[in-house]
């Protein structure tokens, strides 16, 4: 391939609630339009369902047991190894690399610089209005301002008359214009903050989702056989002023049904608001004549529970938190430019809705696959697979280069392909710090396999000082057979003969023995 520019778009806490993933409620016309000209990976999974570990894993193509980042409190170059990142690799190959919004997790996890100057040619941009995100910005029924979860606002009354994702889109548009006539290829990463809480979004997007048309999750109760270690008590949601007023019992809730409906309404509205920003970005790419020479990747760091299993937020191993959108637009490969139709990505107002057709890939893939795949599809060499012990290896991948999927039609689903996620816990029962334990407090690691047919999770003893897993110290297990139980509500772990479980366990243990400093590549189950 000739070298292509890259526009790398990442949403925050976005589950697969998109039209192109079969969600019939959401209005996401711009992402759906992108998907209609792209390869859509229907079964892509994050390696850990929380921001910093997932982003560090995706951008280094190393699993959490190699980055050793399970919380927000260390910088991988110091903590585990000097791993080359996706943008750093492009920069080393002569690309001009730029970061807008939340790409790396800010703070300690990216050295308080978003990994500049390693990853970026210029310092990363953060929208000034983000500093108001956690403040009291939401008008309550009492007329006063609160730090609410539900925070639909009149944008003109916000500081600066704007919101973070609007500012980020403005800056990304400006940067695209500066690169349009430059011979140096660019890698522009744009990280949108929404639909991450709080739902501080323009109020008009709520109108797309009348509350009387919203429904509860299909499985709003905590499953009877869910091991307590697997449950996440959604502490960050509980801390918001409007949720505190509800006096919900810890850890199992539940949230009153009318408030559940409002959370779901606001989440969907936040997705549509973010979709409109994606539309503005893609329209600019188009207007500058860059759509023919730019690979576009759209993904998210992880999903978010909307009441399924009586849970909210991320912090678990279920599909609702690990399953993410992954969409690759490669000009000339996933779509041919139509000379008669000038525009590849005309902006679509989410108030209107179209129903395009999608080219889909059903096999299990993972976010560690993004680095090698986008490298190859942009015209660079994909990094080599990591050796078994890779702490000293700066550039390698623990994922797979998915380039072959762009050339060949999928021949049925590979029933043996698996994706691999994990989540740490401080105790066997839900604690205040269960959602996000500090490294020193992690006692148990839940390793989870997802295949076409099942999700299988083992909660195993973990030593945070040595990063070692004790595979004989099984705290709990979960097995969901997806043909009968797509929502993962009926844990049949204890129903199976030990010999059957041992066969399944063997594939998980193979991965575990290779983890914590040894390679955890995707194996056949």
């Amino acid at each position: 391939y000739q070298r292509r520019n890259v526009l790398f778009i990442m949403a925050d806490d976005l589950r697969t609630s998109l039209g192109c993933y079969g969600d019939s409620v959401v209005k996401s016309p711009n992402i759906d339009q992108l998907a209609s000209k792209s390869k859509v990976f229907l079964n892509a999974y994050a390696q850990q369902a929380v921001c910093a570990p997932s982003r560090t894993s995706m951008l280094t193509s190393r699993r959490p047991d190699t980055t050793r980042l399970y919380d927000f409190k260390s910088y991988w170059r110091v903590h585990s190894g000097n791993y080359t990142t996706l943008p750093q690799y492009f920069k080393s190959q002569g690309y001009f690399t730029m970061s807008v919004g939340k790409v790396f997790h800010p703070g300690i996890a990216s050295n308080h610089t978003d990994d500049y100057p390693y990853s970026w040619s210029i310092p990363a941009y953060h929208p000034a209005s983000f500093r108001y995100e956690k403040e009291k910005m939401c008008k309550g029924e009492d007329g006063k301002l609160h730090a609410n979860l539900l925070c639909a606002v009149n944008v003109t009354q916000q500081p600066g008359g704007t919101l973070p994702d609007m500012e980020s889109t403005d800056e990304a548009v400006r940067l695209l214009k500066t690169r349009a006539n430059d011979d140096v290829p660019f890698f522009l990463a744009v990280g949108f903050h929404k639909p991450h809480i709080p739902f501080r979004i323009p109020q008009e997007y709520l109108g797309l989702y009348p509350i009387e048309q919203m429904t509860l999750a299909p499985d709003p109760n905590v499953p009877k056989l869910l091991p307590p270690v697997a449950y996440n008590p959604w502490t960050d949601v509980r801390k918001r002023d409007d949720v505190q007023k509800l006096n919900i019992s810890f850890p199992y809730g539940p949230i009153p049904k009318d408030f559940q409906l409002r959370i779901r309404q606001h989440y969907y509205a936040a997705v549509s608001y973010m979709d409109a920003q994606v539309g503005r970005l893609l329209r600019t790419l188009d207007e500058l004549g860059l759509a023919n020479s730019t690979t576009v990747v759209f993904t998210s760091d992880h999903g978010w529970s909307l009441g399924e299993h009586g849970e909210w937020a991320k912090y678990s191993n279920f599909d609702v938190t690990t399953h993410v959108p992954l969409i690759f637009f490669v000009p000339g490969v996933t779509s041919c430019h139509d000379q008669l139709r000038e525009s590849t990505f005309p902006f679509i107002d989410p108030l209107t809705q179209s129903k395009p057709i999608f080219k889909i890939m059903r096999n299990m893939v993972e976010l560690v696959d993004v680095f090698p795949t986008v490298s190859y599809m942009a015209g660079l060499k994909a990094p080599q697979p990591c050796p078994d012990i890779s702490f000293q290896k700066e550039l390698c991948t623990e994922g797979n280069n998915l380039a072959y999927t762009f050339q060949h039609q999928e021949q049925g689903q590979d029933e043996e392909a698996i994706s691999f996620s994990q989540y740490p816990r401080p105790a066997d029962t839900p604690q205040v710090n269960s959602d996000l334990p500090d490294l020193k407090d992690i006692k148990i690691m839940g390793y989870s396999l997802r295949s076409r047919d099942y999700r299988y999770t083992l909660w195993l003893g973990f030593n945070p000082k040595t990063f070692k897993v004790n595979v004989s110290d099984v705290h709990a297990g979960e097995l969901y057979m997806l043909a009968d139980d797509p929502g993962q509500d009926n844990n049949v772990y204890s129903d199976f003969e030990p010999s059957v479980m041992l066969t399944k366990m063997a594939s998980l243990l193979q991965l575990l023995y290779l983890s914590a400093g040894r390679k955890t590549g995707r194996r056949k189950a």
Side-chain angles (χ1 to χ4, degrees), residues 281-353:
L281 202 50
L282 295 175
R283 175 177 62 188
T284 303
L285 198 70
D286 220 359
E287 288 170 349
L288 294 171
L290 292 168
N292 300 336
S293 56
T294 304
T295 292
V296 181
V297 182
F298 179 85
T299 190
S300 168
D301 51 358
H302 45 72
W304 212 77
S305 298
L306 284 170
E308 295 86 2
H309 318 109
E311 294 182 307
W312 301 87
K314 47 246 186 187
Y315 319 116
S316 83
N317 279 322
F318 284 120
D319 274 20
V320 279
T321 64
T322 55
H323 189 199
V324 291
L326 181 59
I327 298 168
F328 272 84
F329 168 79
V330 186
V333 176
T334 61
S335 82
C336 296
H337 185 60
D338 184 345
Q339 298 297 333
L340 298 172
R341 235 183 109 225
E342 292 298 304
S343 195
T344 308
F345 300 122
F347 177 77
I348 305 174
D349 192 309
L351 296 164
T352 66
Q353 190 75 339

Side-chain angles (χ1 to χ4, degrees), residues 504-522:
K504 290 205 182 297
M505 193 184 280
S507 70
L508 185 51
L509 296 188
Q510 179 193 13
L511 286 158
L512 293 182
Y513 282 128
L514 290 168
S515 76
R518 292 164 293 281
K519 191 180 161 203
T520 52
R522 191 150 66 253

Side-chain angles (χ1 to χ4, degrees), residues 332-385:
V333 176
T334 61
S335 82
C336 296
H337 185 60
D338 184 345
Q339 298 297 333
L340 298 172
R341 235 183 109 225
E342 292 298 304
S343 195
T344 308
F345 300 122
F347 177 77
I348 305 174
D349 192 309
L351 296 164
T352 66
Q353 190 75 339
S354 56
K355 294 272 184 225
I357 298 161
F358 308 109
K359 294 185 268 306
I360 58 172
M361 162 87 184
R362 291 185 188 279
N363 277 331
M364 303 297 129
V365 302
E366 302 173 291
L367 287 183
V368 283
D369 301 338
V370 168
F371 186 158
T373 306
V374 72
S375 300
Y376 188 87
M377 298 312 289
L380 305 180
K381 281 187 178 156
Q384 292 297 303

